[in-house]
Amino acid sequence: MHHVAIPVADVKTAADWYRARFDVRTVYEDPTWALLRFGNIDLALVIPEQHPPHIAVEHPDAVQYGELKAHRDGSASVYVDDPFGNVIEIMQAGGARRPAKQVA
């Protein structure tokens, strides 16, 4: 499992809430999404207009699931639905993964 993405109305407010309550590091943050690193998994805070709620997994041959889309962090992935309508982001294994850094 690479990350879990949850929708939020305000990325900064949500990120501040998680940072105040948990030992997380900010990997990336802008007004449209943030990636917070817990010890064992990342949490993506996304605005619903840009990303659906989803879980993300890495796969060595993600392209077999569809055309990969390049992301601003250097990763590439494709979104698919499981048989129950849950959104799964399949990320190309070995893609970019930013080192954790605290954003002020």
Side-chain angles (χ1 to χ4, degrees), residues 8-66:
V8 298
D10 183 295
V11 171
K12 181 175 181 353
T13 299
D16 288 345
W17 188 90
Y18 280 92
R19 283 190 290 259
R21 288 161 178 80
F22 304 102
D23 182 21
V24 299
R25 293 188 181 203
T26 302
V27 177
Y28 181 86
E29 183 176 351
D30 71 26
T32 64
W33 76 284
L35 192 64
L36 304 178
R37 182 153 302 153
F38 285 75
N40 61 344
I41 194 166
D42 291 348
L43 174 66
L45 306 171
V46 299
I47 58 172
E49 298 81 23
Q50 290 194 2
H51 299 279
H54 64 273
I55 63 168
V57 297
E58 288 185 312
H59 192 281
D61 191 21
V63 72
Q64 72 177 304
Y65 296 96

Side-chain angles (χ1 to χ4, degrees), residues 80-101:
V80 299
D81 290 346
D82 74 9
F84 306 99
N86 299 299
V87 179
I88 312 299
E89 180 181 16
I90 303 174
M91 303 178 69
Q92 182 60 46
R97 184 172 169 117
R98 294 173 184 256
K101 65 178 182 176

